[in-house]
Amino acid sequence: MARTSGTNLRREILDTTRRLLIQDGYQNLSMRKIANAIGYSATSIYLYFENKDNLVHALIDEGMEKMQQLLLGIDNLLTDPLKALRELCNRYVAFGLENPEYYEVMFQLHPARMARYPVEKYRKARKNLEVFRDVIEAGQRMSLFREGDALLKATAVWTSLHGLVSLLIAQRVDQQIAPEDLQERVFDQVVAFVGG
Amino acid sequence: MARTSGTNLRREILDTTRRLLIQDGYQNLSMRKIANAIGYSATSIYLYFENKDNLVHALIDEGMEKMQQLLLGIDNLLTDPLKALRELCNRYVAFGLENPEYYEVMFQLHPARMARYPVEKYRKARKNLEVFRDVIEAGQRMSLFREGDALLKATAVWTSLHGLVSLLIAQRVDQQIAPEDLQERVFDQVVAFVGG
DNA sequence: ATACGAACTTAACACTGTTAAGTAATTATT
DNA sequence: AATAATTACTTAACAGTGTTAAGTTCGTAT
């Protein structure tokens, strides 16, 4: 019988890795630091995760699920698409700004490190985009939004929101620009584009 | 007298680092690899650059200048703002997609690594944003674009373009979405927002 | 009591950024 | 011509990294 339950240690590794990631960022995340924090040797992590990339992939997966729950938690998601679109933008950006280091691995981890991220996990991640698409389609049905490829429009919306989060968490936006003003303007851009 | 001219070796270090960065990306960039490529020991690099971050900072600076030359090279930049804005978007995105690894350090290097990036270099980098602002202001003067804070609008435009480049080079955009279509849609969004 | 399996550990490897001490070539001084 | 100082490198060393291989300990099955 196991000294510990496999799923308990695996869960502890994941929770600890997430905490260290949020606290110190990806570049300061190391197997030895995770191991020290959980009180085991670094090599024990390899019993549960093939390598460091796979460990991070598991967290990306959980982050995508968390984000999806956040987005789907909006009231009247498909019955008030105009308001819902704004709220989707709010929640997406808030998630990114509140968890910058986590957001970074979710959306900016280098492709080389995503090489073995399973296709079915990409599919799951893409469901977040589909929430945007569904709201756009609902608005189109109600003639609140202009016609057009909803998935393409949702992707264009996403690029703007991602750009906003990415530049704010990389601290590249000029100090003269108030982040709230920029956020409002980007949201205006997005809503005008969709045609609300 | 020096075995080599200081500026010659320094230039060689920069050129080689840029080449390796573009070829292998930031995460595979190491002082030892650079040293092997130039035929000196790794520690000789420290005679010209305080540390790895400073070396990369010098390249970021050069990249910002190169981008500025690209953007300022547009014909009728301030006399045909509507066309110029589109061309600015084209050139910005093309730059990013053609030099993804370089773009990553220019705009996505973690804030911790940018901690000692000189203020005057940030100021230089921001001139690229000012090119967008100046075009928007020119359009506003000609009543081609809507009124409003041109710097804020330029920043909003930049976030969309950055989002597009960032997601494409991170290979996060759904395969079902044609990058050219997405680019067109984002450009539409941007131009509509500015009011062309 | 013994064998086997599971879940860890330690040992080892090749790599990393960086600092300190050492070396060789060039220049300046006597 | 000999010596000292300076410059521009080198090697040695350090503490860290991800990962693999071999070893150890504990619990279970026979």
Side-chain angles (χ1 to χ4, degrees):
Chain A
M1 192 189 340
R3 291 193 185 107
T4 67
S5 161
T7 55
N8 281 354
L9 184 51
R10 184 178 192 277
R11 182 74 261 157
E12 189 175 351
I13 291 167
L14 282 168
D15 290 344
T16 300
T17 303
R18 185 190 315 103
R19 177 170 58 80
L20 292 176
L21 182 62
I22 287 172
Q23 173 183 294
D24 304 320
Y26 179 73
Q27 69 183 351
N28 290 321
L29 185 75
S30 74
M31 301 301 259
R32 284 175 175 79
K33 284 176 180 169
I34 297 165
N36 285 348
I38 61 176
Y40 287 73
S41 71
T43 45
S44 62
I45 299 173
Y46 291 87
L47 296 170
Y48 300 95
F49 299 95
E50 189 178 342
N51 54 36
K52 186 182 180 186
D53 284 349
N54 279 17
L55 170 53
V56 171
H57 289 173
L59 285 182
I60 290 173
D61 194 27
E62 291 186 359
M64 296 299 183
E65 287 202 45
K66 185 181 169 190
M67 176 177 271
Q68 183 170 49
Q69 284 158 10
L70 196 62
L71 299 182
L72 289 175
I74 292 170
D75 290 333
N76 305 316
L77 190 66
L78 300 183
T79 53
D80 192 348
L82 192 55
K83 188 175 173 186
L85 181 61
R86 274 264 178 187
E87 186 57 14
L88 279 177
C89 295
N90 271 326
R91 291 190 181 202
Y92 181 96
V93 171
F95 179 96
L97 297 184
E98 283 160 19
N99 308 282
E101 307 290 353
Y102 201 17
Y103 185 89
E104 182 186 332
V105 300
M106 283 171 69
F107 293 107
Q108 296 180 183
L109 202 60
H110 195 277
R113 309 220 89 83
M114 297 295 288
R116 284 179 287 179
Y117 194 70
V119 173
E120 68 272 18
K121 289 191 167 183
Y122 270 117
R123 201 172 289 132
K124 183 183 287 182
R126 168 203 156 137
K127 284 187 184 306
N128 289 332
L129 184 64
E130 288 172 3
V131 177
F132 282 83
R133 181 204 60 191
D134 292 346
V135 166
I136 291 173
E137 280 182 343
Q140 285 173 329
R141 283 196 293 274
M142 294 173 167
S143 300
L144 291 171
F145 295 156
R146 275 192 285 279
E147 297 295 310
D149 185 333
L151 184 64
L152 184 55
K153 291 195 175 206
T155 308
V157 164
W158 177 39
T159 69
S160 294
L161 299 182
H162 172 72
L164 178 65
V165 175
S166 177
L167 288 175
L168 286 174
I169 68 182
Q171 294 170 24
R172 287 294 198 282
V173 177
D174 203 284
Q175 289 179 350
Q176 202 176 321
I177 303 288
E180 312 79 46
D181 289 346
L182 179 60
Q183 179 171 315
E184 254 330 281
R185 207 53 55 96
V186 167
F187 288 5
D188 287 342
Q189 181 180 134
V190 151
V191 170
F193 166 71
V194 168
Chain B
M1 195 192 332
R3 289 190 187 112
T4 66
S5 161
T7 55
N8 282 354
L9 185 51
R10 185 178 193 277
R11 181 75 259 156
E12 190 177 350
I13 291 167
L14 283 168
D15 290 345
T16 301
T17 304
R18 184 187 319 103
R19 177 169 59 79
L20 291 176
L21 181 62
I22 287 173
Q23 173 184 294
D24 305 320
Y26 179 73
Q27 69 182 353
N28 291 321
L29 185 75
S30 75
M31 302 299 261
R32 283 174 175 79
K33 285 174 179 170
I34 299 165
N36 286 348
I38 61 176
Y40 287 74
S41 70
T43 45
S44 62
I45 300 173
Y46 290 88
L47 296 170
Y48 300 94
F49 299 94
E50 190 180 340
N51 54 37
K52 188 182 180 186
D53 284 349
N54 278 16
L55 171 53
V56 171
H57 289 173
L59 285 182
I60 289 173
D61 195 24
E62 292 187 358
M64 295 299 183
E65 286 203 44
K66 185 183 170 189
M67 176 177 270
Q68 184 169 46
Q69 283 158 10
L70 196 63
L71 299 182
L72 288 176
I74 292 169
D75 291 333
N76 303 317
L77 190 67
L78 300 184
T79 54
D80 191 349
L82 191 53
K83 188 175 172 185
L85 182 60
R86 274 263 177 191
E87 187 55 17
L88 279 177
C89 295
N90 271 325
R91 291 190 181 201
Y92 182 96
V93 171
F95 180 95
L97 298 184
E98 283 160 20
N99 308 283
E101 307 291 353
Y102 202 17
Y103 185 90
E104 181 186 334
V105 299
M106 283 171 69
F107 293 108
Q108 298 183 183
L109 201 59
H110 195 277
R113 309 219 90 82
M114 299 295 289
R116 285 181 282 181
Y117 194 69
V119 173
E120 66 272 19
K121 288 189 168 185
Y122 270 117
R123 201 171 292 130
K124 182 181 286 180
R126 163 204 161 134
K127 284 187 183 309
N128 289 331
L129 183 65
E130 288 172 2
V131 178
F132 283 84
R133 182 204 60 190
D134 293 347
V135 166
I136 291 174
E137 280 182 341
Q140 286 175 329
R141 284 195 291 274
M142 296 173 166
S143 299
L144 291 171
F145 296 156
R146 274 192 285 279
E147 297 295 312
D149 185 333
L151 184 63
L152 184 55
K153 291 194 173 204
T155 308
V157 163
W158 178 39
T159 69
S160 294
L161 299 182
H162 174 73
L164 177 65
V165 175
S166 177
L167 288 174
L168 286 174
I169 69 183
Q171 294 169 21
R172 289 291 201 281
V173 177
D174 204 286
Q175 287 178 350
Q176 199 176 322
I177 303 287
E180 312 78 49
D181 289 347
L182 179 59
Q183 179 170 316
E184 254 329 281
R185 206 53 55 94
V186 167
F187 288 6
D188 288 343
Q189 182 183 132
V190 150
V191 170
F193 166 70
V194 167

